[in-house]
């Protein structure tokens, strides 16, 4: 990594949540598949992940997206999402940001866009007004009504579901989902995640549940529900979370509360909205998530060999 002197990025936010797309300067990770490329990034290029998302250039809520060569001939690009603590399977708000960024640099036009990720192929429809609808990887309910014992909270019952990442979805009576209470919400969801871990409650194959999602009645009149989502590190999602909304759709459908095609309007903690619905494809459920992203900046990150923090604060 020592010969990297600059990295080109474009910043955007999707319904309030930041995405930093890496366009150049990051050596192309080797590997024939997106999984292999993600593993090379993790093994050999992790300093660049930290440099792009950590302070002093970033902060704990930034999700990075490295564009690579695609796996499939008809895909525009491959994309590996990463954050302050590691790599994400998929990222819903991030994909919406990637599509708008590709439009900004003239690589896509309104219409259909195919992209490859380490957890499978995804696609998006970019509308003329800038709205993006992503077609996510299949979502599923893994375990319903699981009870975990959490310090301060006692027994908390929720569902474990996959929406491109692993989620524990629950409600906490008497805990309002208000932006002004975000520090407390972060603390409580972190306690839940730690308790899930300590009590061996995982996704399939023992995978770590790294996102916790709380729900309440919405504040907006045009929404069905409001959420607060703890991301893998210590940040919360400013958007309603694309993979989290996907997991929610799978849970609602499995419990008989959401028909195929029925719209679900998920409000996030800052009051922004994703609209989601499910489509059946064979025996799997494909979530569609619609939202908006806005490009906020374009910059060149510089690496001064004299700078002790050029690879970020750890
Ligand atoms: O939108 O899927 C999402 C997401 C995951 C983590 C942050 N945002």
């Amino acid at each position: 990594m020592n010969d990297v002197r600059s990295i080109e990025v474009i910043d955007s936010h999707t319904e309030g949540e930041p995405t930093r797309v890496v366009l150049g300067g990051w050596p192309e990770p080797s590997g024939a598949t997106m999984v292999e490329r993600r593993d090379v990034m993790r093994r050999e290029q992790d300093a660049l992940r930290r440099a792009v998302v950590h302070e002093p250039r970033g902060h704990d809520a930034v999700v990075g997206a490295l564009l690579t060569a695609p796996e499939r001939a008809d895909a525009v690009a491959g994309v590996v999402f990463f954050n302050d603590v590691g790599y994400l399977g998929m990222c819903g708000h991030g994909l919406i940001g990637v599509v708008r960024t590709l439009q900004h640099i003239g690589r896509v036009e309104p219409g259909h866009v195919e992209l490859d990720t380490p957890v499978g192929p995804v696609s998006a429809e970019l509308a003329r007004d800038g709205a993006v609808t992503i077609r996510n990887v299949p979502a599923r309910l893994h375990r319903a009504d699981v009870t975990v014992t959490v310090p301060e909270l006692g027994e908390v019952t929720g569902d474990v579901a996959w929406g491109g990442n692993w989620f524990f979805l629950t409600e906490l009576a008497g805990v309002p989902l208000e932006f002004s209470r975000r520090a407390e919400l972060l603390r409580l969801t972190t306690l839940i995640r730690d308790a899930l871990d300590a009590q061996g409650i995982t996704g399939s194959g023992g995978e770590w549940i790294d996102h916790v999602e709380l729900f309440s009645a919405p504040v907006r009149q045009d929404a069905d529900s409001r959420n607060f989502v703890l991301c893998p590190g210590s940040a919360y999602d400013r958007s309603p979370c694309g993979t989290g909304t996907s997991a929610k759709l799978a849970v609602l459908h499995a419990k008989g509360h959401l028909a195929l095609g029925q719209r679900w309007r998920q409000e996030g903690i800052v009051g922004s909205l994703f609209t989601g619905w499910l489509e059946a494809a064979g025996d799997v459920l494909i979530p569609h998530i619609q939202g908006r992203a806005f490009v906020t900046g374009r910059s060149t990150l510089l690496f001064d060999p004299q700078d002790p923090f050029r690879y970020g604060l750890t």
Side-chain angles (χ1 to χ4, degrees):
M1 295 303 93
N2 281 340
D3 48 356
V4 171
R5 289 287 178 269
S6 64
I7 287 184
E8 300 295 324
V9 300
I10 288 192
D11 287 317
S12 62
H13 77 84
T14 303
E15 306 296 357
E17 177 77 347
T19 308
R20 175 165 281 177
V21 178
V22 177
L23 297 175
W26 184 313
E28 177 87 15
S30 59
T33 65
M34 294 308 299
V35 169
E36 287 170 10
R37 290 172 199 154
R38 189 263 328 268
D39 290 347
V40 167
M41 288 169 67
R42 185 183 275 142
R43 225 177 24 247
E44 299 171 17
Q45 302 181 326
D46 204 51
L48 296 182
R49 173 186 66 78
R50 286 184 271 112
V52 168
V53 295
H54 278 200
E55 294 179 40
R57 300 184 187 91
H59 56 85
D60 64 359
V62 174
V63 171
L66 177 68
L67 299 180
T68 69
E71 248 184 66
R72 296 168 300 151
D74 63 342
V76 172
V79 52
V80 181
F81 293 106
F82 52 91
N83 64 9
D84 59 329
V85 291
Y87 299 83
L88 289 159
M90 229 301 276
C91 183
H93 93 268
L95 194 69
I96 293 171
V98 165
V99 171
R100 288 285 276 160
T101 296
L102 290 171
Q103 180 186 28
H104 183 80
I105 59 173
R107 279 184 63 183
V108 303
E109 293 189 344
H112 187 77
V113 185
E114 291 281 338
L115 291 140
D116 290 328
T117 77
V119 289
V122 291
S123 63
E125 296 296 327
L126 170 61
R128 294 215 163 268
D129 67 1
V132 178
T133 305
I134 62 163
R135 189 178 190 274
N136 196 359
V137 295
R140 66 181 191 282
L141 171 64
H142 174 58
R143 285 181 65 190
D145 305 322
V146 180
T147 298
V148 57
T149 307
V150 184
E152 285 182 44
L153 293 170
E155 294 203 330
V156 175
T157 300
D159 303 302
V160 178
W162 171 259
N165 295 298
W166 282 108
F167 289 83
F168 182 76
L169 304 92
T170 191
E171 290 180 17
L172 296 180
V175 179
L177 301 189
E178 289 168 6
F179 186 61
S180 61
R181 300 177 67 123
R182 59 196 182 281
E184 179 67 353
L185 295 169
L186 265 179
R187 201 177 66 75
L188 295 177
T189 46
T190 304
L191 287 176
I192 295 174
R193 185 172 59 195
D194 291 348
L196 290 165
D197 200 21
Q199 288 158 52
I201 299 169
T202 67
S204 53
E207 285 193 50
W208 184 43
I209 300 170
D210 52 4
H211 293 72
V212 174
E213 189 168 7
L214 304 180
F215 292 91
S216 73
V219 173
R220 287 173 65 139
Q221 292 199 337
D222 59 351
D224 295 299
S225 155
R226 184 175 175 98
N227 71 7
F228 174 87
V229 181
L230 171 68
C231 296
S234 53
Y236 65 93
D237 198 330
R238 279 71 169 156
S239 83
C241 191
T243 52
T245 301
S246 299
K248 176 69 173 174
L249 297 175
V251 171
L252 287 167
H253 183 71
K255 294 189 171 184
H257 301 315
L258 188 80
L260 293 175
Q262 188 181 339
R263 272 30 181 186
W264 178 262
R265 292 168 305 257
Q266 186 64 59
E267 179 185 15
I269 193 67
V270 305
S272 56
L273 195 83
F274 280 158
T275 301
W277 64 95
L278 288 172
E279 167 207 359
D283 56 359
V284 298
L285 293 171
I286 304 289
H288 293 248
I289 305 290
Q290 186 176 74
R292 297 162 311 154
F294 302 90
V295 170
T296 55
R298 179 171 193 153
S299 44
T300 305
L301 310 182
L302 301 176
F303 290 71
D304 180 341
Q306 305 295 322
D307 177 0
F309 299 125
R310 64 190 178 285
Y311 297 123
L313 303 184
T314 47

mmCIF file of all heavy atoms in Angstrom, residues 17 63 88 90-94 165 211 231 237 239 241-244, ligand 1:
data_model
loop_
_atom_site.group_PDB
_atom_site.id
_atom_site.type_symbol
_atom_site.label_atom_id
_atom_site.label_comp_id
_atom_site.label_asym_id
_atom_site.label_seq_id
_atom_site.Cartn_x
_atom_site.Cartn_y
_atom_site.Cartn_z
ATOM 1 N N GLU A 17 -27.823 9.030 4.757
ATOM 2 C CA GLU A 17 -26.695 8.144 5.114
ATOM 3 C C GLU A 17 -25.583 8.268 4.056
ATOM 4 O O GLU A 17 -25.836 8.125 2.854
ATOM 5 C CB GLU A 17 -27.201 6.699 5.197
ATOM 6 C CG GLU A 17 -26.141 5.653 5.488
ATOM 7 C CD GLU A 17 -25.677 5.586 6.956
ATOM 8 O OE1 GLU A 17 -25.992 6.499 7.730
ATOM 9 O OE2 GLU A 17 -24.978 4.611 7.285
ATOM 10 N N VAL A 63 -19.962 4.809 4.688
ATOM 11 C CA VAL A 63 -19.839 3.503 4.031
ATOM 12 C C VAL A 63 -19.078 3.733 2.728
ATOM 13 O O VAL A 63 -19.461 4.581 1.911
ATOM 14 C CB VAL A 63 -21.221 2.862 3.766
ATOM 15 C CG1 VAL A 63 -21.090 1.620 2.887
ATOM 16 C CG2 VAL A 63 -21.875 2.490 5.097
ATOM 17 N N LEU A 88 -19.151 -5.112 4.249
ATOM 18 C CA LEU A 88 -20.577 -5.419 4.300
ATOM 19 C C LEU A 88 -20.914 -6.367 3.162
ATOM 20 O O LEU A 88 -20.324 -6.251 2.075
ATOM 21 C CB LEU A 88 -21.394 -4.139 4.125
ATOM 22 C CG LEU A 88 -21.380 -3.158 5.297
ATOM 23 C CD1 LEU A 88 -21.771 -1.769 4.825
ATOM 24 C CD2 LEU A 88 -22.337 -3.632 6.381
ATOM 25 N N MET A 90 -24.006 -6.690 1.490
ATOM 26 C CA MET A 90 -24.648 -5.761 0.566
ATOM 27 C C MET A 90 -24.892 -4.486 1.346
ATOM 28 O O MET A 90 -24.752 -4.466 2.569
ATOM 29 C CB MET A 90 -25.977 -6.354 0.080
ATOM 30 C CG MET A 90 -26.209 -6.327 -1.415
ATOM 31 S SD MET A 90 -26.184 -4.697 -2.162
ATOM 32 C CE MET A 90 -27.872 -4.138 -1.888
ATOM 33 N N CYS A 91 -25.241 -3.443 0.662
ATOM 34 C CA CYS A 91 -25.603 -2.211 1.355
ATOM 35 C C CYS A 91 -26.642 -1.512 0.485
ATOM 36 O O CYS A 91 -26.333 -1.096 -0.634
ATOM 37 C CB CYS A 91 -24.375 -1.328 1.563
ATOM 38 S SG CYS A 91 -24.795 0.151 2.488
ATOM 39 N N GLY A 92 -27.857 -1.409 1.011
ATOM 40 C CA GLY A 92 -28.955 -0.864 0.214
ATOM 41 C C GLY A 92 -28.792 0.617 -0.057
ATOM 42 O O GLY A 92 -28.855 1.066 -1.205
ATOM 43 N N HIS A 93 -28.557 1.398 1.004
ATOM 44 C CA HIS A 93 -28.401 2.840 0.768
ATOM 45 C C HIS A 93 -27.163 3.064 -0.081
ATOM 46 O O HIS A 93 -27.125 3.953 -0.940
ATOM 47 C CB HIS A 93 -28.285 3.611 2.097
ATOM 48 C CG HIS A 93 -26.886 3.820 2.557
ATOM 49 N ND1 HIS A 93 -26.217 2.958 3.395
ATOM 50 C CD2 HIS A 93 -25.975 4.781 2.219
ATOM 51 C CE1 HIS A 93 -24.979 3.384 3.580
ATOM 52 N NE2 HIS A 93 -24.800 4.487 2.887
ATOM 53 N N GLY A 94 -26.119 2.226 0.150
ATOM 54 C CA GLY A 94 -24.867 2.371 -0.596
ATOM 55 C C GLY A 94 -25.067 2.118 -2.081
ATOM 56 O O GLY A 94 -24.507 2.835 -2.924
ATOM 57 N N ASN A 165 -27.403 -8.545 4.844
ATOM 58 C CA ASN A 165 -26.627 -8.560 6.098
ATOM 59 C C ASN A 165 -27.537 -9.235 7.118
ATOM 60 O O ASN A 165 -28.744 -9.371 6.903
ATOM 61 C CB ASN A 165 -26.302 -7.126 6.565
ATOM 62 C CG ASN A 165 -25.372 -6.393 5.604
ATOM 63 O OD1 ASN A 165 -24.249 -6.814 5.386
ATOM 64 N ND2 ASN A 165 -25.852 -5.297 5.035
ATOM 65 N N HIS A 211 -26.136 -6.331 12.791
ATOM 66 C CA HIS A 211 -27.057 -5.183 12.765
ATOM 67 C C HIS A 211 -28.237 -5.473 13.712
ATOM 68 O O HIS A 211 -28.769 -6.587 13.693
ATOM 69 C CB HIS A 211 -27.647 -4.960 11.372
ATOM 70 C CG HIS A 211 -26.664 -4.531 10.327
ATOM 71 N ND1 HIS A 211 -25.724 -5.371 9.788
ATOM 72 C CD2 HIS A 211 -26.505 -3.340 9.697
ATOM 73 C CE1 HIS A 211 -25.024 -4.719 8.877
ATOM 74 N NE2 HIS A 211 -25.475 -3.475 8.795
ATOM 75 N N CYS A 231 -25.481 -0.200 13.046
ATOM 76 C CA CYS A 231 -24.611 -0.786 12.015
ATOM 77 C C CYS A 231 -23.487 -1.574 12.699
ATOM 78 O O CYS A 231 -23.323 -1.496 13.913
ATOM 79 C CB CYS A 231 -24.047 0.324 11.133
ATOM 80 S SG CYS A 231 -25.326 1.185 10.214
ATOM 81 N N ASP A 237 -27.572 3.891 11.339
ATOM 82 C CA ASP A 237 -27.898 4.238 9.954
ATOM 83 C C ASP A 237 -28.793 5.468 9.944
ATOM 84 O O ASP A 237 -29.851 5.473 10.574
ATOM 85 C CB ASP A 237 -28.592 3.046 9.279
ATOM 86 C CG ASP A 237 -28.576 3.150 7.773
ATOM 87 O OD1 ASP A 237 -28.584 4.285 7.257
ATOM 88 O OD2 ASP A 237 -28.568 2.107 7.112
ATOM 89 N N SER A 239 -30.220 6.534 7.249
ATOM 90 C CA SER A 239 -31.316 6.195 6.325
ATOM 91 C C SER A 239 -32.166 5.096 6.974
ATOM 92 O O SER A 239 -31.795 4.559 8.019
ATOM 93 C CB SER A 239 -30.736 5.711 4.993
ATOM 94 O OG SER A 239 -30.399 4.328 5.062
ATOM 95 N N CYS A 241 -32.212 2.170 6.101
ATOM 96 C CA CYS A 241 -31.390 0.970 5.914
ATOM 97 C C CYS A 241 -32.012 0.028 4.866
ATOM 98 O O CYS A 241 -33.044 -0.615 5.123
ATOM 99 C CB CYS A 241 -31.158 0.223 7.223
ATOM 100 S SG CYS A 241 -29.899 -1.063 7.069
ATOM 101 N N GLY A 242 -31.345 -0.060 3.728
ATOM 102 C CA GLY A 242 -31.873 -0.880 2.626
ATOM 103 C C GLY A 242 -31.896 -2.361 2.944
ATOM 104 O O GLY A 242 -32.903 -3.052 2.701
ATOM 105 N N THR A 243 -30.802 -2.872 3.502
ATOM 106 C CA THR A 243 -30.789 -4.307 3.824
ATOM 107 C C THR A 243 -31.682 -4.572 5.044
ATOM 108 O O THR A 243 -32.307 -5.629 5.140
ATOM 109 C CB THR A 243 -29.347 -4.802 4.057
ATOM 110 O OG1 THR A 243 -28.694 -3.950 5.014
ATOM 111 C CG2 THR A 243 -28.546 -4.813 2.770
ATOM 112 N N GLY A 244 -31.753 -3.595 5.959
ATOM 113 C CA GLY A 244 -32.626 -3.751 7.122
ATOM 114 C C GLY A 244 -34.097 -3.735 6.717
ATOM 115 O O GLY A 244 -34.912 -4.495 7.248
HETATM 116 O O1 LIG B 1 -28.655 0.529 3.629
HETATM 117 O O2 LIG B 1 -28.249 -1.607 3.713
HETATM 118 C C1 LIG B 1 -28.049 -0.457 4.089
HETATM 119 C C2 LIG B 1 -27.019 -0.208 5.107
HETATM 120 C C3 LIG B 1 -26.289 -1.131 5.805
HETATM 121 C C4 LIG B 1 -25.438 -0.427 6.656
HETATM 122 C C5 LIG B 1 -25.658 0.917 6.452
HETATM 123 N N1 LIG B 1 -26.624 1.023 5.495
#
